[in-house]
């Protein structure tokens, strides 16, 4: 399978739930500050084609809860399901 799109996302907020779960909020693209004039920045390239996106997920896996930090940045690959 071929990845259709790769996005970069950053954790912007973590909301703990009393049930041992937490809500993770991500934004795209994940760039702090300005971009270089030559357009060479990866975040700048991504934001030119996908200027805005938000992802929210609730996780309850004990192996994952508490392991994310605001500012963590990830690639999110979109691969079609066959």
């Amino acid at each position: 399978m071929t990845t259709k799109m790769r996005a970069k996302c950053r954790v912007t907020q973590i909301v703990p739930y009393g049930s041992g779960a937490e809500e993770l909020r991500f934004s795209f693209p994940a760039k702090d500050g300005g971009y270089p004039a030559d357009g060479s920045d990866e975040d700048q390239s991504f934001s030119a084609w996908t200027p805005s996106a938000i992802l929210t997920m609730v996780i309850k896996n004990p192996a994952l809860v508490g392991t994310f930090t605001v500012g963590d940045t990830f690639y999110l690959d979109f691969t079609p399901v066959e």
Side-chain angles (χ1 to χ4, degrees):
M1 278 184 255
T2 302
T3 298
K4 190 167 198 139
M5 179 176 74
R6 171 170 266 198
K8 192 185 242 186
C9 60
R10 174 174 288 153
V11 179
T12 56
Q13 188 174 10
I14 300 171
V15 180
Y17 288 9
S19 62
E22 64 187 12
E23 180 178 299
L24 302 175
R25 297 180 185 174
F26 298 85
S27 67
F28 309 71
K31 177 65 178 173
D32 289 330
Y35 295 116
D38 66 2
S40 62
D41 186 275
E42 180 182 57
D43 296 333
Q44 182 179 19
S45 175
F46 177 76
S47 67
W49 302 108
T50 308
S52 178
I54 297 170
L55 170 66
T56 301
M57 68 173 66
V58 176
I59 59 171
K60 196 169 181 174
N61 182 339
L64 292 176
V65 172
T67 64
F68 292 87
T69 303
V70 171
D72 287 350
T73 304
F74 300 93
Y75 287 115
L76 176 62
D77 291 327
F78 291 84
T79 305
V81 176
E82 292 184 9

